[in-house]
Amino acid sequence: MIKRIWPVLACAILIGACKTPQAQKIADTGFTSQVDSVLALMTLEEKIGQMTLYTTDWGSTGPTIREGYQDDIRKGNCGALFNSHTTAFTRQLQEIAVKESRLGIPLIFGYDVIHGYKTIFPIPLGESCSWDLAAMEQSASIAAAEAAAAGLHWTFAPMVDIGRDPRWGRVLEGAGEDTYLGSLIAAARVKGFQGDNFNRADKVVACVKHYAAYGAPIGGRDYNTVDMSMRVFRDTYLPPYKAGIDAGAITVMTSFNELDGIPSTGNKWLLDDVLRKEMGFNGFIVTDYTSINEMINHGYASDEAHAGELSANAGVDMDMQGGVYQNYLKKSIQAGRVSEKLIDDAVRRILRVKFELGLFKDPFKYCDEKREKEVVMSASNMEAARDIARKSIVLLKNDKNVLPLTKGKSIALVGPLAADRVNLIGAWSGAGEGDKCISVLDALQQRATRDGFTLTHAKGCEIEGTGHIGFPEALRISRAADVIIAVVGENKEMSGEASSRASISLPGVQEEFIKELIGTGKPVIVVLMNGRPLTIPWIAENATAIVEAWWLGTQAGPAIGDVLFGDYNPSAKLTMSFPRVVGQIPVYYNQKNTGRPYDPNTKWNSRYQDVVNAPQYPFGYGLSYTTFMYDSIRLLKKEFSFQDTIQVSVSIKNTGAMAGEEIVQLYVRDLVGSVTRPVKELKGFEKIKLGKGESKNVIFKLTAKDLAFHTADMTFKAEPGVFWIMVGPDSDRLQKQVIRLVE
Ligand code: BGC
């Protein structure tokens, strides 16, 4: 075996040792000469190999690699793999790459570590409801540490697609409907995964996805066409990708969808002009799973060779799973339809990341079995998972302060998810093992003696299906109890990729079951587990309390127990509106006013005949066990120039019986613009902790930049005029003040 690369590498390592802390910003690093020296040794086939990413299989008997792939690694035809993890397996594959391929270029291992590797955190939509950026950064950071300890270098996260249609199953992977909050969360997650330098042994490379606008498929049907104005694209959908890139994300994944008739994977404007030139992205671009090939189905490419040319020329560096680059790119280059310079640039970008990761120096840097044992599912990771899980729970209703539960009660715990473990990890749960989760039943059984309550349990019904066989037993124990806790929702296959639903009510007979429980006359606390907002109008009206628990991960049960028994006072607020009925979708808080704004008492305005316009629960909504009183908004001045900072302050008092946290929200409205503006837009928030009876003054500072948007001529700027400044506990209950921005 010829190993010509190693002398080159020795020199690479020496130079690599002096790199700056900004190492992940490719342009600033000192790896150019090393990358070029490696590139100079490569054949065209080997270059194309670096642009090829394949998946392994994780079969029931353990990891396997698809037929032929081992040979591809050996021949240098594949530079990256995904779905291969654990130190044992990645070491085995890396050995083939570095010992048996001609140049010994190390592989990079990717995986969907979306909300945890083995310690599973709440689904990202759930976590986003904490509005706690530090907590989300920490959860990504722990996920990175576990993944890196298990041989991985690269996560296909964060997903930063704005989601406004809960029929789309993938809203669970994102941060909800709002651009401002979504952008902050995108940055926090990138920082968590990559840290200041992804070269650290406990960090992984982040991948901002799915670029672009994948979150807006028509009708909420996954993979469907996306069609929006350039203004909506730039004002609403683009900023979170930019925020992720500005936070240092060094890879970006293209999306499956088309945008204005062009599939993202072949969209030169989107990839080259906007992502690279405009946003200054200098890492590498990977496709989504076979999305090059899918350009044929889109009707954009005539065959795979054509599809490969379109994506290479658009600026896609790495082909995920499609094999198109491997099979066709050489011929396209030889025929002059793709330039070799373009290929060289793509390979440079990929090799640089491998250098940055330190893989040329030590290809087995991430294969430390001892670290894997210590880090993965460590006690401190479990504790952190429980903490962020509690922070993600949204209290939607709490009549007569039935919660928190007091001592001495007899509790009937019912519902198909009460004893469930496997669904708690939700979709996209990495290497998470559902049976390692703690269920609500497990957690409540553990607490029963300590908290002085008696507990009975019956399932009642399944998540799906029409069977009523379990109803009588569940109703019997419910009648004998003081209070009923019903844990209901979706199973984890119902949200996620390829999991759009046209009806988003509780599946099966669960609602019917809850009606019967409420018929007993006992207080019914409904705990929801789901990956998307659901339509639950009857339950919203009739249940005594509703606790939105999403899929909270490994520590779901204890976290829910903490909230039900008041060890943790719920503090989360929705980041996606809950519609009353599917027909209201899309329903999101920052809509436009229209020429005929909503008036429920007259006919000729923008409304439905059969339902109010307002959602069941609006963006920003969530209750606490305590109450908060907002004082009036105070402004230092009412007129501001473009150079000024607008200071908005408001005092909030905890007027209830216990300490709690409140997410104070600031919205603005631009009353008249060169183009119409939304009725409100979130521009600031602060999560504050207040002891019983305590008050705090919250100060927001805005500048003209915060009021900017894409104006009639598409320049991004604020326009002088009158604005409303609104502050309150959610996007619906807001008090306002008027200000004027002057030139
Ligand atoms: C998904 C991506 C994911 C990829 C690799 C695709 O089907 O859309 O989000 O990263 O598979 O698993």
Side-chain angles (χ1 to χ4, degrees):
M1 192 83 28
I2 312 164
K3 279 283 169 293
R4 282 188 296 159
I5 204 166
W6 291 107
V8 178
L9 292 186
C11 135
I13 291 157
L14 275 178
I15 306 172
C18 339
K19 68 180 178 298
T20 68
Q22 277 299 306
Q24 68 211 68
K25 291 275 178 196
I26 278 175
D28 304 334
T29 65
F31 284 109
T32 315
S33 57
Q34 294 97 312
V35 166
D36 282 345
S37 330
V38 176
L39 194 71
L41 302 174
M42 296 172 81
T43 62
L44 183 54
E45 286 85 347
E46 283 164 339
K47 290 178 188 172
I48 295 169
Q50 288 303 305
M51 298 169 71
T52 298
L53 165 67
Y54 284 132
T55 178
T56 61
D57 297 320
W58 203 270
S60 50
T61 50
T64 58
I65 179 148
R66 292 181 190 202
E67 212 166 307
Y69 286 4
Q70 233 141 327
D71 233 31
D72 279 325
I73 303 174
R74 221 168 263 130
K75 287 186 185 141
N77 285 342
C78 158
L81 284 169
F82 69 114
N83 291 335
S84 26
H85 52 101
T86 69
T87 51
F89 189 38
T90 54
R91 177 183 287 281
Q92 193 187 323
L93 299 168
Q94 193 69 296
E95 274 184 356
I96 304 177
V98 298
K99 296 192 180 147
E100 297 181 38
S101 74
R102 192 180 75 92
L103 291 174
I105 299 175
L107 293 164
I108 182 169
F109 294 106
Y111 196 41
D112 290 281
V113 181
I114 308 293
H115 54 113
Y117 170 67
K118 268 212 192 284
T119 301
I120 301 302
F121 292 87
I123 54 166
L125 179 64
E127 265 192 7
S128 71
C129 294
S130 71
W131 298 50
D132 186 332
L133 300 174
M136 284 180 263
E137 184 175 330
Q138 190 200 8
S139 110
S141 168
I142 292 172
E146 288 199 359
L152 292 162
H153 313 130
W154 182 25
T155 178
F156 302 141
M159 185 276 221
V160 305
D161 306 319
I162 293 295
R164 294 183 161 183
D165 189 332
R167 290 172 297 183
W168 188 50
R170 301 197 78 168
V171 295
L172 86 91
E173 292 169 60
E177 72 189 39
D178 186 59
T179 306
Y180 172 82
L181 183 58
S183 300
L184 292 172
I185 292 175
R189 289 191 167 137
V190 168
K191 280 189 212 136
F193 288 128
Q194 291 196 168
D196 290 335
N197 189 343
F198 62 72
N199 156 293
R200 271 172 45 181
D202 61 348
K203 292 291 168 198
V204 290
V205 167
C207 181
V208 164
K209 72 184 188 184
H210 307 82
Y211 184 76
Y214 180 44
I218 293 174
R221 212 178 67 222
D222 207 1
Y223 316 119
N224 201 10
T225 308
V226 171
D227 195 9
M228 61 178 63
S229 73
M230 192 48 60
R231 186 165 287 106
V232 168
F233 177 64
R234 286 192 174 274
D235 277 340
T236 305
Y237 285 84
L238 200 56
Y241 305 104
K242 166 101 169 62
I245 289 155
D246 288 347
I250 206 67
T251 73
V252 167
M253 187 186 292
T254 64
S255 57
F256 287 125
N257 58 283
E258 66 162 71
L259 185 65
D260 196 17
I262 303 182
S264 304
T265 306
N267 193 332
K268 190 167 164 45
W269 169 79
L270 195 63
L271 303 180
D272 228 22
D273 295 353
V274 180
L275 182 59
R276 289 220 167 91
K277 299 202 181 89
E278 213 180 288
M279 295 199 220
F281 174 68
N282 52 20
F284 73 80
I285 300 173
V286 62
T287 70
D288 203 345
Y289 203 104
T290 64
S291 65
I292 299 183
N293 320 56
E294 289 171 26
M295 289 200 286
I296 303 168
N297 283 342
H298 273 290
Y300 190 63
S302 49
D303 54 27
E304 290 193 343
H306 183 207
E309 287 159 18
L310 287 167
S311 63
N313 286 326
V316 170
D317 302 309
M318 194 181 272
D319 171 5
M320 184 196 285
Q321 191 55 19
V324 174
Y325 281 0
Q326 189 187 357
N327 294 331
Y328 303 97
L329 211 47
K330 187 176 169 191
K331 274 203 190 114
S332 301
I333 294 161
Q334 284 164 345
R337 288 192 293 273
V338 175
S339 82
E340 193 161 351
K341 153 134 192 2
L342 194 143
I343 301 303
D344 285 351
D345 286 345
V347 176
R348 276 193 186 97
R349 289 190 272 263
I350 295 163
L351 289 180
R352 257 177 225 274
V353 173
K354 294 188 176 187
F355 269 106
E356 296 290 351
L357 279 164
L359 292 176
F360 279 97
K361 199 170 174 184
D362 177 7
F364 302 102
K365 178 176 159 192
Y366 297 82
C367 289
D368 178 343
E369 284 77 3
K370 185 166 162 277
R371 195 155 60 92
E372 185 177 29
K373 275 207 192 85
E374 282 165 11
V375 172
V376 175
M377 292 193 99
S378 70
S380 64
N381 293 358
M382 291 298 176
E383 205 33 61
R386 178 172 178 164
D387 190 45
I388 180 92
R390 317 192 293 187
K391 289 177 171 158
S392 306
I393 296 173
V394 190
L395 181 65
L396 296 175
K397 184 175 183 187
N398 192 18
D399 270 3
K400 300 191 197 107
N401 292 328
V402 64
L403 289 173
L405 293 166
T406 48
K407 280 190 193 269
K409 290 255 182 329
S410 65
I411 299 171
L413 178 65
V414 297
L417 284 153
D420 184 279
R421 297 193 185 104
V422 292
N423 283 296
L424 303 181
I425 53 174
W428 286 118
S429 40
E433 294 163 70
D435 52 12
K436 296 216 169 121
C437 292
I438 305 173
S439 71
V440 178
L441 177 63
D442 298 332
L444 263 50
Q445 274 168 343
Q446 277 166 23
R447 303 182 72 112
T449 318
R450 194 195 83 190
D451 289 346
F453 61 89
T454 58
L455 185 69
T456 50
H457 166 250
K459 194 172 186 183
C461 65
E462 301 298 328
I463 296 173
E464 291 182 276
T466 52
H468 296 78
I469 199 158
F471 278 31
E473 172 62 3
L475 288 167
R476 187 188 65 73
I477 65 160
S478 295
R479 283 193 200 97
D482 298 323
V483 59
I484 304 165
I485 301 174
V487 191
V488 294
E490 298 182 298
N491 70 44
K492 67 185 172 66
E493 276 73 44
M494 288 181 163
S495 290
E497 186 177 351
S499 302
S500 296
R501 293 178 63 202
S503 154
I504 54 167
S505 56
L506 277 178
V509 293
Q510 294 183 90
E511 183 158 329
E512 198 185 323
F513 178 53
I514 289 175
K515 285 184 179 162
E516 300 241 357
L517 294 173
I518 290 174
T520 63
K522 302 284 167 132
V524 177
I525 297 157
V526 175
V527 176
L528 294 172
M529 292 183 175
N530 43 291
R532 54 154 66 79
L534 298 173
T535 50
I536 47 161
W538 194 90
I539 294 170
E541 191 66 32
N542 296 287
T544 321
I546 306 174
V547 175
E548 176 52 79
W550 311 109
W551 291 315
L552 290 176
T554 315
Q555 290 288 315
I560 292 168
D562 289 344
V563 164
L564 295 177
F565 290 91
D567 293 343
Y568 183 82
N569 187 353
S571 64
K573 304 221 182 196
L574 296 178
T575 54
M576 229 185 138
S577 309
F578 271 47
R580 290 167 198 272
V581 292
V582 165
Q584 286 182 312
I585 297 171
V587 57
Y588 49 91
Y589 83 91
N590 45 7
Q591 303 213 357
K592 300 285 186 77
N593 205 35
T594 81
R596 295 191 178 194
Y598 180 61
D599 175 355
N601 303 314
T602 64
K603 177 164 178 172
W604 305 101
N605 65 82
S606 184
R607 54 170 296 207
Y608 300 102
Q609 290 200 346
D610 48 355
V611 66
V612 296
N613 279 15
Q616 188 79 56
Y617 300 114
F619 174 84
Y621 171 84
L623 303 172
S624 161
Y625 293 152
T626 188
T627 47
F628 299 100
M629 207 188 70
Y630 282 64
D631 215 346
S632 319
I633 301 177
R634 293 187 310 278
L635 293 169
L636 286 185
K637 315 188 260 185
K638 297 226 162 181
E639 211 169 84
F640 298 86
S641 78
F642 277 71
Q643 289 71 43
D644 281 339
T645 298
I646 308 159
Q647 184 165 311
V648 183
S649 58
V650 63
S651 168
I652 292 106
K653 184 172 185 191
N654 180 345
T655 47
M658 61 163 86
E661 285 170 272
E662 170 69 333
I663 301 167
V664 184
Q665 300 160 42
L666 171 97
Y667 296 81
V668 302
R669 176 172 177 186
D670 185 347
L671 289 185
V672 180
S674 62
V675 293
T676 60
R677 306 291 302 129
V679 288
K680 44 193 107 159
E681 287 179 285
L682 183 73
K683 291 293 175 189
F685 65 88
E686 198 175 321
K687 191 166 186 173
I688 53 168
K689 223 176 221 157
L690 290 176
K692 185 179 160 195
E694 198 187 338
S695 297
K696 193 168 175 182
N697 198 33
V698 173
I699 298 173
F700 295 104
K701 288 184 174 157
L702 289 175
T703 63
K705 214 170 135 222
D706 297 306
L707 306 174
F709 60 100
H710 287 90
T711 56
D713 65 3
M714 289 305 277
T715 43
F716 186 71
K717 61 174 191 220
E719 291 177 338
V722 177
F723 293 79
W724 285 356
I725 299 285
M726 295 166 275
V727 177
D730 60 54
S731 64
D732 191 40
R733 288 174 297 158
L734 296 169
Q735 46 159 320
K736 71 165 199 262
Q737 285 274 2
V738 181
I739 61 158
R740 182 178 286 278
L741 180 65
V742 291
E743 284 199 282

